[in-house]
Amino acid sequence: MATKKYTVTLPEELAEDIRAEVGPGGFSRYVTQAIERQREQDRLGEAVGWWEKEYGQVTEAELAEVEAERREIERRHAELARARRVAAGEPADPALDQQRKGAA
């Protein structure tokens, strides 16, 4: 993707905090990713607005159902990842393995 330099004004403290976190050369990438995430959120908001206009407002019960489904999908993916690690001879839980090594 072609790039072009733009001038934007940011609060100094925020910009310096980000620059300190991402290091030299990472600032533009960080800002680009932040803008991309915001655009995704904007499009999702538009989609939800359309959905609610067509079918009515999303209820708390529907949100809870979706959240439960999301947690179940995450749990299944974690189990699959764990099984793959074990099959490959790696620790089942790398974070726990790191903790054990640090405690030893």
Side-chain angles (χ1 to χ4, degrees):
M1 176 188 319
T3 61
K4 182 177 177 182
K5 194 169 197 165
Y6 292 89
T7 300
V8 297
T9 302
L10 300 170
E12 185 176 3
E13 187 176 323
L14 173 63
E16 293 305 319
D17 286 349
I18 292 168
R19 196 176 297 278
E21 288 177 24
V22 300
F27 189 80
S28 290
R29 180 176 48 251
Y30 185 94
V31 171
T32 298
Q33 291 171 343
I35 292 169
E36 288 171 342
R37 279 192 306 275
Q38 183 60 52
R39 290 189 71 204
E40 288 174 2
Q41 291 297 311
D42 293 347
R43 286 191 292 272
L44 285 171
E46 291 170 7
V48 169
W50 173 86
W51 180 270
E52 288 184 333
K53 190 174 1 172
E54 289 290 316
Y55 301 104
Q57 195 158 4
V58 177
T59 66
E60 289 297 320
E62 290 168 328
L63 290 172
E65 184 179 336
V66 168
E67 178 59 23
E69 185 177 338
R70 184 194 62 77
R71 284 194 307 269
E72 176 60 20
I73 290 169
E74 282 185 352
R75 186 192 62 74
R76 284 192 308 234
H77 280 276
E79 285 179 2
L80 288 171
R82 182 179 187 279
R84 286 188 192 112
R85 286 192 301 272
V86 169
E90 299 172 8
D93 186 346
L96 185 57
D97 194 50
Q98 278 294 75
Q99 288 176 353
R100 289 180 185 146
K101 285 180 184 176

